[in-house]
Amino acid sequence: FLHRRSSVLGGAGLGGAGRGKARQGKARQGKDYTMKTCICSVAFGGWYPKGLSRLYQSLSAQGYTGGRLFFSGELPPGSPPHYDVPYGFKLHAMRKAFDDGFDAVVWADASMFAISRVEPIFKVIEKQGFILFQGGDNTAAMWTHDACLSYFRKSRDEAEKIPQVVGGLVGFSTLHACGAAIFEEGFEE
């Protein structure tokens, strides 16, 4: 995938049991089991539907044969409006893919397009349960509102040590307890 200057964040120290609808830690069906993968995205307004079409075509050009769940001009089921929960549609699109039976789901913004095969992304997800990318040298202190820091009981100085995770490309697997737990955390209030 083409992406801004980013690095992959590892999974050290993350754990816990998944909650909610995710199929937590579902056992694989033998050594020949092939993980069912899906890439999802949402586009409405402006140039985003054209970007979504470009993403779809680029995945085909790179030989991706997994599932695609794209919403153009509409929000995924259960998603609140963007002005109520900014970017909440990302998690709801991924939830729909998991509910449809996919084991590993990648969210890709409509501004993304594949420049090489995407299977290596799913290999990382299969191994550690998730894939996240760090936003350059940015930290949580740069873009986090004071109320959010207070909610998580973090000072701005502490937030300087927390890498910023970009939301344009993320992936999770509910076959992995860690991936299921991180994904479900996004639905907690």
Side-chain angles (χ1 to χ4, degrees), residues 5-155:
R5 190 172 57 116
S6 300
S7 58
V8 177
L9 296 178
L14 296 174
R19 296 171 294 283
K21 294 182 184 178
R23 294 166 292 128
Q24 315 130 27
K26 182 180 104 178
R28 293 200 177 95
Q29 290 112 14
K31 66 177 182 172
D32 295 328
Y33 179 73
T34 301
M35 189 170 59
K36 294 191 291 189
T37 65
C38 182
I39 296 175
C40 58
S41 194
V42 174
F44 49 90
W47 66 270
Y48 295 105
K50 288 182 181 177
L52 191 67
S53 178
R54 178 184 66 181
L55 172 60
Y56 189 96
Q57 292 169 5
S58 71
L59 291 168
S60 295
Q62 296 301 329
Y64 179 68
T65 59
R68 296 173 195 164
L69 184 59
F70 290 178
F71 296 87
S72 184
E74 63 180 328
L75 292 172
S79 179
H82 180 60
Y83 58 82
D84 286 346
V85 181
Y87 305 103
F89 56 80
K90 294 181 180 190
L91 288 175
H92 286 274
M94 295 178 83
R95 164 77 79 213
K96 173 72 170 121
F98 285 127
D99 288 349
D100 285 353
F102 291 100
D103 302 318
V105 177
V106 166
W107 166 269
D109 279 354
S111 62
M112 300 282 179
F113 57 95
I115 60 170
S116 62
R117 297 188 64 78
V118 298
E119 286 76 8
I121 291 172
F122 286 108
K123 290 290 182 194
V124 171
I125 295 169
E126 183 176 29
K127 181 178 178 184
Q128 66 184 29
F130 67 96
I131 192 165
L132 302 170
F133 294 89
Q134 183 175 344
D137 295 329
N138 295 332
T139 67
M142 296 176 78
W143 302 106
T144 305
H145 192 277
D146 288 339
C148 184
L149 290 175
S150 176
Y151 176 84
F152 287 104
R153 298 186 176 108
K154 296 289 182 190
S155 69

